[in-house]
Amino acid sequence: MTFWNLSAVRAYAPAIVGWSLALSGWLRLEQLRNDQQARMLVPVVQWGVALMLLVTLGCIVAASVMIWRAGRRDAQQRG
């Protein structure tokens, strides 16, 4: 029995990348908060992190819909 569905892994890969980028942006934001000269970059990084989280959410929804539709198509072909 395989525990990894390669189609699901491929479908969710962009979401994993987006989540990693959002996390790295958030960590960078924490570093910028203490730096007086870099404080003007804080809003840019905040918007970037928020945008990456929205893109990640979109990737998760799109991957879920693709997997759901493929499952329905397979069930209809079998039924």
Side-chain angles (χ1 to χ4, degrees):
M1 178 175 166
T2 58
F3 292 99
W4 290 94
N5 183 345
L6 290 179
S7 297
V9 171
R10 286 186 203 113
Y12 287 107
I16 294 169
V17 170
W19 183 256
S20 300
L21 289 173
L23 180 62
S24 67
W26 178 73
L27 292 172
R28 183 65 181 153
L29 182 63
E30 290 300 316
Q31 291 176 339
L32 291 178
R33 288 191 194 276
N34 297 329
D35 188 0
Q36 293 296 330
Q37 293 178 343
R39 283 207 170 198
M40 67 180 94
L41 289 176
V42 170
V44 175
V45 176
Q46 283 176 336
W47 280 104
V49 168
L51 181 64
M52 284 310 302
L53 288 174
L54 287 174
V55 168
T56 300
L57 181 61
C59 289
I60 290 170
V61 169
S64 298
V65 168
M66 286 174 30
I67 291 171
W68 175 71
R69 289 185 71 188
R72 282 189 60 201
R73 191 176 325 119
D74 290 342
Q76 287 176 352
Q77 288 176 354
R78 279 187 245 140

